[in-house]
Amino acid sequence: MSVSSQIQTVALKDEERTRCEVWTRVMGYHRPVTSFNKGKQSEHRERQFFVEGRCTLG
């Protein structure tokens, strides 16, 4: 049996959802993104994460 056949999708109504608080590390300590000013929140949304590719030898 494949893994994809075991995954079930759950659809929630808006009233069933809970807001998730996102924290990030800034200058050596963790802070919630909601405490940032508008400019810093915008910078956080624009971040691009580094994805390292697989190393191939040969």
Side-chain angles (χ1 to χ4, degrees):
M1 183 186 258
S2 69
V3 175
S4 62
S5 66
Q6 296 175 357
I7 298 173
Q8 295 179 353
T9 303
V10 177
L12 295 176
K13 299 174 186 171
D14 286 340
E15 59 269 8
E16 296 175 316
R17 295 179 181 272
T18 303
R19 187 164 202 86
C20 177
E21 185 172 47
V22 177
W23 286 61
T24 188
R25 185 173 174 269
V26 178
M27 300 298 290
Y29 58 95
H30 292 85
R31 290 184 54 187
V33 175
T34 55
S35 69
F36 292 170
N37 63 32
K38 290 181 181 182
K40 194 67 172 174
Q41 286 181 4
S42 176
E43 287 178 20
H44 184 265
R45 281 191 300 271
E46 293 174 0
R47 285 184 185 172
Q48 295 183 6
F49 295 94
F50 175 76
V51 178
E52 186 173 355
R54 186 175 186 176
C55 179
T56 56
L57 299 174

